[in-house]
Amino acid sequence: MKRLLSVALGVLTAIGGFVDIGDLVTNALVGARFGLSLAWVVVVGVLGIIVFAEMSGRVAAITGRATFDLVRERLGPRAGLLNLAGSMAVTGLTFVAEIGGVALALELVSSVNYLLLVPFTGLAVWLVLWRVRFSLLENVFGLLGLALLVFAVAVWRLGPDWSSLLDQATHPSVPGSEGVPTYWYYAVALFGAAMTPYEVFFFSSGGVEEKWTEKDLGTSRLNVFVGFPLGGLLSFAIAISAALVLLPAGIEVDTLGQVGLPVSEAVGRVGIAIALLGFFAATFGAACETGLSVGYSVSQYFGWQWGKYVRPREAALFHVVLLLSTIAGVATLLTTVDPIKVTEYSVVFSAVALPLTYFPILVVANDPDYMGEKVNGRLANGLGQVYLVLVTLAALAAIPLMLLTKAGQ
Amino acid sequence: MSRRRNEPGGPGGRAGATAGGRRMDAALRLLDHQLVDRDGRLCGKVDDLELERRDDGTLVVTAILTGPGALGPRLPGVLGRATVAVWRRLHGDAEPGASRIPFERVAEIDSAVRLTMSRAEVPTHGLERWARENVVEKLPGAGRAPE
Amino acid sequence: MRLNDLLGADVVDAAGEPVGRVTDVRLAQTGPVGSGVLARFVVESLLVSPHHAGSLFGYERRHDQGPMLLRAVVRLMHRRAVMVRWDAVDEWDVDARRITLTRDHDRHPPEVA
């Protein structure tokens, strides 16, 4: 029974923890402008993260090493450093976006200007990273994140024409009001939002934090195969609700409040309160994860002791990196840059960084000297190679599309 | 091939056959790999290896080199030279070289390189110690296990 | 001297013709094994390849390592890689990063360690 509960907890945490500020904003934004014509990208993106999260979780369970740890081994110090710089930049940008997201969510609750809330948020995030046990952090914010199920409730209450929705999703076409390059720009953004690099760093480092062994492979896979698709459904719900409410009204998403508008329409004040709880949990949890990911990647490149599984004094450089990143994140937000805009850029740059991230995982997951018999099977390799091509294409297309469409105007 | 699990940040498969007559490709299996001390703590990477030529012409691996003095020369151009220059300044000596771990202190090589020494004895530990004493220990709760 | 001085060094034959660059160094464990301590490692052979990238992936040495696409690409890039024993080295100019092989050295195809 206890085992069943712990497995259920893991899956629920994976569902609730799946969505971050990038998913919230990008799905709502795309739903409001493109309806369901980009739904297929969410499917492709979620499948992609499932493939690579399973691989990196398996590598962590079998070798006890996290992904970024192995990047330098596999690519050498020069390419590894380039990878580190790129990942840090993107993850750092995402970290800024998540802290901003927390502040925006709190602003919606308290009506205090979000800028005043930013330093407080930064302090809170740092305190959690400093003192709270890893599993507690994951479980609390993961479970609270399930509040976002209110979007699924909203969709149901809006009583849409399901067959028409299905038709729209399976026969994608560029809406008349949008250009083709813009369509593809948002396809790349949505793809980057679903497959953000920090997720695999975090997932594999988390596996090491939680001391996974071969016995935990089953649980890890369950989290990935059940938790992630259901989490992906949450992303879908956000997009559908935006398509049903915002699109006909011609409302474009540029604030967090607008993301929640469909819920307030369909479920009322109780709904919006639950949605705000969900926003807070998703962004705060993701802020902790991205902050940790910056610490993980730097420490794992240089070989420093990292992790929350040891006392802070045993991983001093790791915690210095966490502290400095949080300060830098807060400072960036205090320049009054719009967190929503930062989010939009972070998902596109995530797409650019994807090949660097996934290539080493694919190589290591195939190495029999590390993995023994648990090397990639044909399915994992087949999908892995297909996705390697896909992420490379997305990475190459991202910047040109961004310039061409002036970041999706 | 036996699979071993001691503690995180460590274990993994065995690269190569049993000891004695064992062969290993240095860049593939040693270089840039994680160093783990005798208590399982992570203490840097194998940034380079020190080689010595014996009279009979054989080239022996005498030490593991770690830290900016060892990594610097492997980074390209300006970055590499800058790393070495900064390391020299921090160290004070005229020619500090790299931090050296004699190869006899290596206990085992699997996916990581395990040492017989504690990480406090690893020369580059200085940076970690500095961070601990000057930043981390100044904050409350540094020595307590996370709750 | 460091391993880094060997890696990437140009390898030429006795006539001065380029053979490639050192992409890896095979070490052999020799000497008695103490308890809890590894015996010493010596340089046994050099892996020399006309290209440098991709050498860390080990694909040129294992015939079965997936995924297929990467293996095919790396093996294509390293199709002329060879191994030479350390005693086939006549001269090693550390500063110039150049290794000269003896007149009658042997070259082997790369094989698994």
Side-chain angles (χ1 to χ4, degrees):
Chain A
M1 189 60 201
K2 188 164 179 244
R3 178 117 179 100
L4 197 65
L5 274 178
S6 113
V7 168
L9 185 65
V11 176
L12 288 173
T13 306
I15 301 173
F18 189 78
V19 171
D20 72 347
I21 188 78
D23 299 300
L24 281 172
V25 169
T26 318
N27 278 286
L29 197 153
V30 167
R33 279 174 71 167
F34 294 87
L36 287 188
S37 56
L38 282 169
W40 62 273
V41 180
V42 179
V43 176
V44 173
V46 172
L47 183 60
I49 189 77
I50 288 175
V51 170
F52 283 97
E54 188 278 326
M55 263 188 247
S56 67
R58 185 168 16 107
V59 171
I62 301 292
T63 67
R65 310 282 298 286
T67 311
F68 216 92
D69 206 345
L70 298 164
V71 165
R72 187 175 144 183
E73 270 178 36
R74 278 301 178 202
L75 302 186
R78 295 193 291 187
L81 191 64
L82 191 69
N83 200 323
L84 177 67
S87 307
M88 267 182 75
V90 170
T91 306
L93 201 61
T94 313
F95 187 40
V96 170
E98 307 288 355
I99 300 180
V102 178
L104 288 176
L106 290 174
E107 181 185 58
L108 287 171
V109 169
S110 64
S111 302
V112 174
N113 183 282
Y114 87 97
L115 280 174
L116 295 171
L117 296 168
V118 162
F120 161 75
T121 306
L123 180 64
V125 168
W126 176 74
L127 277 172
V128 169
L129 293 182
W130 177 248
R131 291 260 6 122
V132 175
R133 221 174 350 129
F134 186 84
S135 48
L136 190 66
L137 187 165
E138 281 294 281
N139 291 338
V140 167
F141 293 106
L143 288 177
L144 285 178
L146 288 171
L148 290 174
L149 280 167
V150 73
F151 276 91
V153 173
V155 168
W156 169 66
R157 285 185 72 130
L158 286 167
D161 178 2
W162 289 104
S163 60
S164 136
L165 277 184
L166 193 63
D167 192 61
Q168 246 196 76
T170 49
H171 299 95
S173 63
V174 183
S177 53
E178 305 284 359
V180 173
T182 320
Y183 178 84
W184 286 106
Y185 172 73
Y186 280 107
V188 170
L190 213 48
F191 191 55
M195 290 191 74
T196 31
Y198 84 81
E199 283 171 33
V200 283
F201 296 148
F202 186 77
F203 193 69
S204 71
S205 302
V208 176
E209 292 266 28
E210 301 196 329
K211 307 190 203 292
W212 282 353
T213 64
E214 203 172 318
K215 290 192 313 249
D216 298 296
L217 264 184
T219 330
S220 153
R221 280 176 172 156
L222 200 66
N223 285 358
V224 171
F225 294 144
V226 175
F228 283 29
L230 292 178
L233 279 179
L234 277 182
S235 292
F236 250 139
I238 297 170
I240 298 175
S241 69
L244 291 174
V245 173
L246 303 178
L247 179 63
I251 300 175
E252 289 200 1
V253 170
D254 32 41
T255 69
L256 192 59
Q258 282 157 339
V259 176
L261 216 53
V263 172
S264 103
E265 259 212 34
V267 191
R269 297 186 53 175
V270 172
I272 201 68
I274 300 176
L276 288 177
L277 177 64
F279 288 169
F280 173 76
T283 49
F284 199 95
C288 294
E289 291 183 6
T290 43
L292 281 172
S293 298
V294 176
Y296 290 150
S297 12
V298 176
S299 306
Q300 287 167 12
Y301 177 84
F302 289 108
W304 302 335
Q305 176 67 53
W306 53 270
K308 292 186 58 49
Y309 65 93
V310 293
R311 293 159 213 266
R313 64 187 305 274
E314 308 268 352
L317 286 168
F318 170 70
H319 278 276
V320 166
V321 173
L322 292 183
L323 185 61
L324 289 176
S325 318
T326 314
I327 294 174
V330 168
T332 311
L333 283 166
L334 290 178
T335 62
T336 73
V337 63
D338 177 8
I340 301 288
K341 278 275 163 276
V342 172
T343 305
E344 293 180 38
Y345 281 112
S346 76
V347 296
V348 176
F349 285 113
S350 291
V352 177
L354 287 176
L356 282 179
T357 314
Y358 289 137
F359 175 67
I361 301 177
L362 191 57
V363 172
V364 174
N366 271 290
D367 190 332
D369 282 323
Y370 284 166
M371 305 294 288
E373 299 129 18
K374 298 281 186 222
V375 288
N376 275 3
R378 284 209 219 147
L379 184 63
N381 267 344
L383 287 172
Q385 288 170 94
V386 167
Y387 272 95
L388 202 60
V389 173
L390 278 179
V391 300
T392 312
L393 289 174
L396 291 171
I399 307 282
L401 281 172
M402 184 168 83
L403 295 172
L404 198 62
T405 63
K406 296 205 236 301
Q409 302 308 351
Chain B
M1 212 178 321
S2 65
R3 211 121 301 267
R4 236 178 16 161
R5 260 219 89 101
N6 301 334
E7 59 285 303
R14 293 180 65 91
T18 51
R22 186 169 163 192
R23 283 173 172 68
M24 185 176 293
D25 290 338
L28 188 65
R29 294 294 174 215
L30 268 179
L31 211 51
D32 298 307
H33 282 235
Q34 180 75 58
L35 289 167
V36 183
D37 81 353
R38 64 165 180 232
D39 306 309
R41 292 283 175 259
L42 311 178
C43 45
K45 298 261 172 153
V46 177
D47 292 316
D48 210 338
L49 294 175
E50 184 186 81
L51 305 170
E52 251 176 44
R53 205 153 192 176
R54 297 279 186 258
D55 297 323
D56 57 359
T58 55
L59 204 55
V60 185
V61 179
T62 45
I64 289 174
L65 300 174
T66 184
L71 182 60
R74 298 180 61 213
L75 298 175
V78 177
L79 186 62
R81 289 193 288 276
T83 312
V84 179
V86 168
W87 175 245
R88 279 213 186 100
R89 295 226 81 162
L90 283 179
H91 235 243
D93 320 312
E95 194 55 58
S99 296
R100 210 178 161 268
I101 300 172
F103 212 78
E104 299 82 58
R105 307 307 298 272
V106 174
E108 182 53 83
I109 301 174
D110 47 55
S111 67
V113 177
R114 289 164 211 293
L115 306 174
T116 57
M117 59 199 333
S118 135
R119 69 176 178 168
E121 299 168 62
V122 175
T124 38
H125 194 60
L127 186 62
E128 172 89 14
R129 194 180 307 125
W130 180 91
R132 185 186 338 134
E133 286 162 11
N134 293 298
V135 183
V136 171
E137 304 239 289
K138 299 255 157 76
L139 301 162
R144 305 219 319 261
E147 51 207 30
Chain C
M1 289 164 303
R2 302 182 178 186
L3 186 70
N4 191 41
D5 297 325
L6 267 182
L7 293 175
D10 293 308
V11 179
V12 297
D13 67 14
E17 291 298 311
V19 180
R21 304 178 80 171
V22 179
T23 55
D24 210 339
V25 174
R26 181 154 297 172
L27 307 175
Q29 194 167 4
T30 65
V33 182
S35 63
V37 172
L38 280 187
R40 64 177 207 157
F41 277 88
V42 301
V43 173
E44 185 188 75
S45 31
L46 304 175
L47 180 69
V48 183
S49 174
H51 297 280
H52 183 73
S55 64
L56 289 184
F57 305 151
Y59 285 109
E60 73 274 14
R61 281 158 273 192
R62 296 192 87 100
H63 296 272
D64 54 347
Q65 186 158 331
M68 235 168 43
L69 202 66
L70 289 179
R71 182 171 78 228
V73 169
V74 176
R75 282 167 71 89
L76 188 69
M77 286 168 62
H78 284 273
R79 63 190 180 280
R80 285 196 300 271
V82 292
M83 297 201 76
V84 289
R85 295 188 64 86
W86 179 247
D87 44 32
V89 168
D90 189 29
E91 198 187 302
W92 177 21
D93 188 336
V94 180
D95 295 319
R97 302 183 69 96
R98 188 174 54 245
I99 291 176
T100 313
L101 303 174
T102 57
R103 197 167 300 276
D104 50 358
H105 65 270
D106 279 327
R107 300 181 197 183
H108 316 277
E111 70 229 17
V112 185

